[in-house]
Amino acid sequence: MPAAPRTAVDKALDLVEAVARAPRPPRLTDLAEEVGLHRATAYRVLVELVRRGWVLRAGDRYLPGTAVLRLSSSAARNSLGALARPVLEALSERTGMMVNLQVPEADRSRVIDAVRPDRLAMISRLTGETLPVHRFAGPLALVAALAPADRLPYLRAAEESGHPLTGPDGLLADVERAERSGFAVEYGRNEQPVASLARAVVTREGTPVCALTLVGLGAEFDEARLPVLRERLREATDELARILSGPAAPGTPEPAAPDSTPLTPSPSTSTEGPA
């Protein structure tokens, strides 16, 4: 199937991105060649981008404009990480656990921030790393909050790594438990003696945007303390969901929270490390 023709928006964004990623301020010819535009077309688009402040012209070279800088500053203040950071810090203080923030990617999740108390310095933050669903609680909680059809890439990646999907110890059973309870819990699967508990953050539209995960020593996730940790995690994820959803229109229900059937650890429960 032939590619769709590039719109004016496509051309403008291509040029803005090319200017932003260039190792040194590029010339018109460089930009036109990189984005695959005729030189005259690239020039016309750049004139408008300069007028709107997205690109700055300095002689025969181009730099990111003030609009890009304002957007970057706003993103730093209002990004998911910035919005979630106070929630992570409060949850870590209330539980004494490490807390990380994960977002879904194509077939796994990525840790974008973590708050770790000094006493757990031996546990990796995993910030910036991608985590597979069959080894970590964070992606498991996210996958359990997805529609069944949307789970397939995550399940396929686990299966290709050699992890079973079916049977009492299979991934489908883990997903079912997490979907039923609203929480994913893992013990030592990635690193002994580390355990973790995760819950997806679901916005008003019903989509899992991210997950918060409590990470600590396995002995601290025992049957006596697990209900308290679940409640603290529920409060934090609900608060972040409200922040991300913004003010509700009159008559709009609050974001639907996953069910919270108590999940008691047992020897048959899947095991895992920090998620």
Side-chain angles (χ1 to χ4, degrees):
M1 180 181 296
R6 293 161 72 188
T7 67
V9 173
D10 292 327
K11 296 171 184 176
L13 290 176
D14 286 346
L15 285 166
V16 170
E17 292 171 356
V19 171
R21 66 173 173 260
R24 61 183 63 84
R27 294 185 173 90
L28 171 61
T29 302
D30 302 326
L31 291 170
E33 181 178 347
E34 180 173 349
V35 303
L37 291 176
H38 189 278
R39 191 173 184 276
T41 302
Y43 177 76
R44 287 196 299 270
V45 177
L46 284 167
V47 167
E48 183 62 17
L49 289 172
V50 169
R51 186 183 73 81
R52 296 288 297 270
W54 289 99
V55 171
L56 174 67
R57 183 173 179 179
D60 64 346
R61 296 183 180 271
Y62 294 87
L63 298 85
T66 55
V68 173
L69 301 179
R70 288 196 303 270
L71 183 62
S72 298
S73 177
S74 176
R77 295 192 306 271
N78 300 318
S79 66
L80 175 59
L83 292 172
R85 183 72 182 191
V87 178
L88 269 65
E89 291 174 345
L91 181 57
S92 179
E93 183 175 354
R94 295 186 71 185
T95 62
M97 300 286 183
M98 180 164 78
V99 182
N100 70 41
L101 173 69
Q102 299 178 39
V103 294
E105 294 199 350
D107 59 2
R108 56 196 62 214
S109 70
R110 185 179 297 274
V111 179
I112 63 172
D113 196 10
V115 174
R116 183 181 62 187
D118 292 341
R119 73 180 188 87
L120 296 176
M122 79 293 293
I123 301 178
S124 173
R125 287 191 179 94
L126 299 179
T127 307
E129 296 191 28
T130 56
L131 311 180
V133 66
H134 61 287
R135 289 176 58 194
F136 295 89
L140 180 57
L142 287 166
V143 169
L146 290 171
D150 295 331
R151 297 171 181 171
L152 295 179
Y154 302 87
L155 301 178
R156 189 179 302 115
E159 188 175 33
E160 290 173 352
S161 73
H163 190 83
L165 296 186
T166 58
D169 296 324
L171 182 56
L172 291 176
D174 290 341
V175 173
E176 182 182 351
R177 282 192 290 267
E179 181 181 16
R180 185 173 63 249
S181 69
F183 297 88
V185 59
E186 300 290 353
Y187 297 89
R189 179 172 286 174
N190 185 68
E191 179 184 347
Q192 293 284 358
V194 178
S196 53
L197 176 71
R199 187 171 189 252
V201 176
V202 180
T203 61
R204 191 171 291 111
E205 291 73 23
T207 303
V209 175
C210 57
L212 296 183
T213 306
L214 290 170
V215 185
L217 301 177
E220 298 176 300
F221 289 78
D222 60 11
E223 186 174 349
R225 195 178 183 198
L226 196 58
V228 176
L229 295 176
R230 282 200 303 265
E231 186 57 29
R232 298 290 85 79
L233 183 56
R234 174 199 304 285
E235 293 166 354
T237 52
D238 287 352
E239 178 184 357
L240 186 53
R242 286 191 292 270
I243 293 171
L244 297 178
S245 296
T252 303
E254 286 296 312
D259 188 17
S260 60
T261 304
L263 184 61
T264 302
S266 67
S268 63
T269 304
S270 54
T271 57
E272 182 226 350

